[in-house]
Amino acid sequence: MNRLASATSPYLQQHADNPVDWWPWCDEAFAEAKRRDVPVIISVGYAACHWCHVMAHESFENDAVGALMNDNFVAIKVDREERPDVDAVYMTATQAMTGQGGWPMTVFASPDGTPFFCGTYFPRPNFLRLLQSVTTAWRDQRDAVLQQGAAVLEAIGGAQAVGGPTAPLTAELLDAAADQLAREYDPTNGGFGGAPKFPPHMNLLFQLRHHQRTGADRDLEIVRHTCEAMARGGIYDQLAGGFARYSVDGHWTVPHFEKMLYDNALLLRVYTQLWRLTGDPMAARIAAETAAFMIDDLGTPEGGFASALDADTEGVEGLTYAWTPDQLVEALGEEDGRFAADLYAVTPAGTFEHGTSVLKLARDVDDVDPTVAQRWARVRARLREVRATRPQPARDDKVVAAWNGLAVTALVEQSLLTGDPVTASAAIRAAELLASVHLVDGRLRRVSRDGRVGEPAGVLEDHGCVAEAFCAVHQLTGEGRWLDLARDLLDTALARFAAPNGGFHDTADDAERLVTRPADPTDNATPSGLSAVSAALVAYAALTGETRYREAAEAALATVAPVVGRHARFTGYAATVGEALLAGPYEVAVVTGEPTGDPLVVAAYRHAPPGTVIVAGRPDQPGVPLLADRPMLDGRPTAYVCRGFVCERPVTSPEELIARLGR
C-alpha cells in the first residue's frame, strides 16, 4: 500500500515508490507494530539531504532490504522539517547512544515508540546485518532490548527536562558571550571553529548589536571579516546569489550544496544590518542578491517561500555549480574565459572533484573601475545563462511556518532600510499566506504545500518566528491587524507552551504525546523556540506598551542566561534579544502623512539602537498603539522617541532624532 503518495512532504513523496512498506508518522503505525509484535524503524531525514538520498538509493530502493524491513518491522518515514518535535526526541536519543547525530537518522524502537538502538547513515551491507541482528535480538533477547530502551528513555528525559538555575540576562553575561566568541573566532578565515564551517548568522547578529551598545570595534571587525570571507567563498553562489548550508572545509571554499531558506533569511538580516552600520557596498550587494535569490528561486506561486534547494543534481553533488577552465572558455570565449578563471579562482587542478572548481571571488568587484565592473556583470550574466542549461537541483517546495517567518522579518528589514518595494511586497505576500493558510481554527500549522495546509501542528519556533514576522509587517504597513495576529500567537504560546520555571516546552500541552516532551533552549540551525518567542514578546511589548509580554520574555531568557555566558555559539539569538532589552528597546513613532521617504523615517531606520520598533503614519490609526494621541507639531512630521515605555519631548528634525537615538 502506498501511504506516502498524498503527503505534503516532498521528502516522503520521494520514498513513495520504495519496496519498503512505509508508514507516515501516525498512531496507526505503532498500533500495527503492536498487533504484529514487531519493532518499528523510524527513518528521519529531509528532501535536500545528500546522505539521505544515498541511503535511499543504496538501501530503501533495494528489494532485499525492503523485504527484510517489511517482514520484521513496521517502517515509519519522517520529514524532520515537518515534525521537528519527533526529530528532537529521537535526535537526543541518537546523541545519547552514539555521541553524535545527523541525517539520515535511523532509530529502532519498541511499539510504544521507546528507542533502543539509534544511528545515522548505514551503508547497505551494514544495514542488512543490522536489520538481521535487531530481528534476532527482538526475538531472543527481548528483556535486554526493553531494558536498553528504558535506559535511553531515562537519558533523553533528563536531557530535555525543563528546569535548572535561572538568572537575569545581564550586560555582564552578554559581554562574557562576546568575549567568548572573540576567543573562538578564526582570524584567518573568519567564522568560528574549523571544518565543517557553518555560517554563524545568529552570533553575527548578536555581535552587531553588542557593538552598537558597547562601541567595541572588535565585534564589528569579526562580523565584517566573516561576512566578506563568506561572500567571497564558494559557500556563496557567485552567479545567482544565496548561501549554501555549510562549507566542508574551514575556509568557505567547497560547500555542501543544499541551500536552505532559514540560512538565507538570517544571513539577509546580517548583511542588511552590516550595511546599515558601515555603509559597506559589499554588504549592500550581498543583501540585495540574497533577497533576490529568496524571491526568485525559493518563492512559491502562493506567495510563500520553499524550504530548500537540493544538495544533489541527478544524484551528484555540485553537478550544477562546478566549472573547469575549459568550460569557462567554451562559455565565454578565450579572453573572457581567462578573465573569469582569474576572477573566480578556477584552476586546472580544481578546488572540488575531478579537476572542477567551485566559483569563489578572488578579486574585488564592489570598488573597482566601472569598466571592470561592467565586464564582471556581463561575464556573470553569461555564465548564469549557460549554467541554467545544465540539470538543476530539485526544490523542496513545502512552506514551513517558522522559516517563512524568518524570511518575512528579514525582507521587511531590508525593504525598510532600502525602500525596495519588491522585497516589501514579497514580505507582505508571505505574511498573508501564513495568516490565511497556516492559521486553522485559531491554531498555527507547521507546513503547507501548493496552498494546502498540512496536518502537523505548529511548534514553539513557529509561533515565535511568525509572531515576530507579524510584528515586522505591522511596522512596514502600519496596519493594526498584524499586531492582533501576533498577539494571538503569543497568547497561545504563553497558554500552551509555557513551563513552570518561566521557560517553554517546544510542543503544546495539547499536542501529540511523544515518549518525552522536547524542550531545547539552545539555538541550532535556526533560533530555538524559546529565543524566537522571546524576540516576538519583546517586539510586541514595545509596539503595544503591554508590559506582561516583556516580563514573559525576561523570565524566558532567565532560563537560558546561565548558558549564554558559557556557550555563546549556541545562544546567539537569545543574546540578540538580550541586547534589545538592554537597549530599551526604543520605541519610535513618526507621525507623518507620507511615511515613504520621509527624512524622519529614514533617520529612524538608519540610526536605531538594537531592537528598536518603528511605526510611521498618520496619527490615531485603529490598532496602531504607537501612533495613538500623537499629533504633528505645527503641522510638520514629528518623531516621538520612547525607551522602556518612558517618552521624551517630540522632535521634528532628523538631526534631533539622530541625537536622541545615539544617546
Side-chain angles (χ1 to χ4, degrees):
M1 181 185 297
N2 190 334
R3 302 181 184 89
L4 305 185
S6 60
T8 54
S9 162
Y11 176 64
L12 265 58
Q13 289 191 350
Q14 288 172 2
H15 293 269
D17 296 324
N18 291 167
V20 179
D21 185 19
W22 291 112
W23 292 70
W25 179 273
C26 59
D27 291 340
E28 291 79 5
F30 291 96
E32 176 67 6
K34 184 176 182 180
R35 184 189 70 79
R36 291 176 52 197
D37 191 29
V38 296
V40 296
I41 297 176
I42 304 168
S43 175
V44 186
Y46 59 103
C49 164
H50 169 69
W51 290 103
C52 300
H53 297 165
V54 172
M55 191 164 177
H57 295 321
E58 286 184 347
S59 294
F60 302 143
E61 295 173 6
N62 180 268
D63 289 336
V65 172
L68 197 54
M69 291 175 68
N70 296 339
D71 289 345
N72 299 286
F73 303 89
V74 168
I76 300 173
K77 179 59 73 174
V78 177
D79 184 339
R80 64 170 292 263
E81 297 172 351
E82 278 200 334
R83 293 301 304 261
D85 51 341
V86 173
D87 177 65
V89 167
Y90 292 108
M91 182 58 70
T92 303
T94 301
Q95 291 168 335
M97 291 197 73
T98 69
Q100 60 186 10
W103 301 277
M105 179 165 54
T106 307
V107 176
F108 293 85
S110 57
D112 66 357
T114 301
F116 58 81
F117 186 86
C118 307
T120 52
Y121 163 75
F122 293 98
R124 186 168 70 205
N126 304 41
F127 190 53
L128 281 166
R129 287 194 295 271
L130 178 61
L131 292 172
Q132 292 162 344
S133 297
V134 172
T135 299
T136 301
W138 183 258
R139 184 185 65 230
D140 300 338
Q141 299 171 291
R142 180 78 60 91
D143 289 345
V145 169
L146 296 178
Q147 287 174 9
Q148 180 162 305
V152 173
L153 192 59
E154 182 178 0
I156 64 176
Q160 299 194 333
V162 175
T166 65
L169 186 51
T170 61
E172 291 74 20
L173 281 174
L174 293 170
D175 292 345
D179 289 343
Q180 185 183 65
L181 288 174
R183 290 192 299 271
E184 297 179 1
Y185 163 62
D186 179 348
T188 302
N189 301 301
F192 307 97
K197 186 170 277 187
F198 291 80
H201 26 58
M202 289 174 278
N203 297 131
L204 300 181
L205 284 172
F206 160 59
Q207 289 179 299
L208 287 173
R209 288 189 173 183
H210 188 263
H211 161 75
Q212 284 184 269
R213 175 171 63 84
T214 65
D217 291 336
R218 173 197 68 183
D219 297 320
L220 188 61
E221 176 56 22
I222 289 173
V223 178
R224 189 211 61 76
H225 176 216
T226 300
C227 283
E228 181 177 3
M230 291 191 299
R232 287 179 172 272
I235 193 173
Y236 184 69
D237 186 340
Q238 300 296 339
L239 301 185
F243 289 86
R245 178 71 193 97
Y246 62 85
S247 171
V248 301
D249 50 65
H251 40 81
W252 311 110
T253 299
V254 177
H256 186 55
F257 290 93
E258 61 188 335
K259 291 180 180 176
M260 310 302 296
L261 173 61
Y262 52 76
D263 285 319
N264 284 281
L266 289 163
L267 287 166
L268 172 56
R269 293 185 71 180
V270 171
Y271 282 90
T272 297
Q273 294 302 322
L274 178 61
W275 168 75
R276 179 173 79 93
L277 294 174
T278 65
D280 185 345
M282 177 276 300
R285 175 175 65 86
I286 299 300
E289 291 175 0
T290 302
F293 161 74
M294 290 164 57
I295 295 168
D296 296 341
D297 289 21
L298 296 181
T300 70
E302 298 75 32
F305 295 98
S307 297
L309 296 183
D310 210 329
D312 301 349
T313 303
E314 297 183 346
V316 179
E317 277 201 286
L319 180 65
T320 304
Y321 301 103
W323 298 81
T324 65
D326 288 345
Q327 288 173 330
L328 294 177
V329 169
E330 182 181 355
L332 299 166
E334 188 70 33
E335 191 172 337
D336 277 350
R338 289 198 304 270
F339 170 82
D342 175 70
L343 178 66
Y344 290 125
V346 178
T347 65
T351 58
F352 186 45
E353 297 174 347
H354 312 300
T356 64
S357 295
V358 181
L359 303 187
K360 62 180 184 179
L361 199 57
R363 301 282 183 264
D364 185 18
V365 296
D366 294 297
D367 188 20
V368 294
D369 183 273
T371 57
V372 177
Q374 290 167 7
R375 187 180 190 187
W376 164 69
R378 184 182 71 249
V379 163
R380 186 188 195 201
R382 176 57 185 157
L383 289 178
R384 188 172 178 179
E385 288 176 1
V386 172
R387 195 178 77 177
T389 66
R390 296 176 172 180
Q392 299 296 305
R395 188 173 87 158
D396 181 345
D397 54 1
K398 70 176 180 297
V399 171
V400 176
W403 306 352
N404 274 253
L406 292 173
V408 168
T409 299
L411 291 167
V412 167
E413 286 186 2
Q414 203 261 356
S415 67
L416 288 172
L417 283 163
T418 63
D420 188 341
V422 175
T423 51
S425 176
I428 293 169
R429 284 192 71 209
E432 294 281 7
L433 178 72
L434 291 169
S436 62
V437 174
H438 284 251
L439 283 170
V440 180
D441 298 328
R443 298 297 292 271
L444 186 64
R445 299 277 184 89
R446 171 78 174 172
V447 296
S448 69
R449 190 179 183 207
D450 299 329
R452 179 170 65 93
V453 73
E455 291 297 324
V459 295
L460 185 64
E461 69 163 342
D462 296 306
H463 288 74
C465 292
V466 175
E468 187 178 18
F470 287 164
C471 288
V473 177
H474 169 74
Q475 295 173 74
L476 174 67
T477 64
E479 295 177 9
R481 72 185 183 100
W482 296 108
L483 210 51
D484 294 339
L485 288 166
R487 180 199 61 228
D488 292 344
L489 290 175
L490 293 174
D491 285 347
T492 297
L494 292 171
R496 294 291 186 181
F497 292 82
N501 70 336
F504 288 91
H505 297 279
D506 289 328
T507 54
D509 59 3
D510 59 350
E512 177 189 353
R513 293 294 181 190
L514 304 175
V515 292
T516 188
R517 189 178 181 189
D520 186 354
T522 58
D523 299 322
N524 199 306
T526 57
S528 71
L530 183 145
S531 59
V533 163
S534 297
L537 288 165
V538 170
Y540 182 81
L543 288 165
T544 64
E546 296 190 43
T547 57
R548 73 181 183 94
Y549 294 95
R550 178 192 175 95
E551 292 164 358
E554 291 171 337
L557 291 173
T559 67
V560 75
V563 185
V564 170
R566 299 194 309 269
H567 303 289
R569 285 172 63 185
F570 304 101
T571 54
Y573 210 67
T576 299
V577 181
E579 289 290 351
L581 282 172
L582 283 183
Y586 277 74
E587 305 121 26
V588 179
V590 180
V591 185
T592 174
E594 183 48 64
T596 304
D598 188 301
L600 285 174
V601 178
V602 174
Y605 285 121
R606 289 302 303 271
H607 298 277
T612 299
V613 296
I614 302 167
V615 176
R618 297 184 182 277
D620 299 316
Q621 295 186 47
V624 188
L626 277 190
L627 295 177
D629 301 318
R630 285 178 168 154
M632 293 185 185
L633 296 183
D634 301 323
R636 300 168 62 190
T638 304
Y640 292 78
V641 178
C642 307
R643 185 182 183 212
F645 313 118
V646 177
C647 299
E648 301 189 49
R649 179 179 58 82
V651 298
T652 56
S653 76
E655 293 76 19
E656 290 177 293
L657 176 57
I658 292 168
R660 291 279 169 85
L661 296 175
R663 287 180 183 175

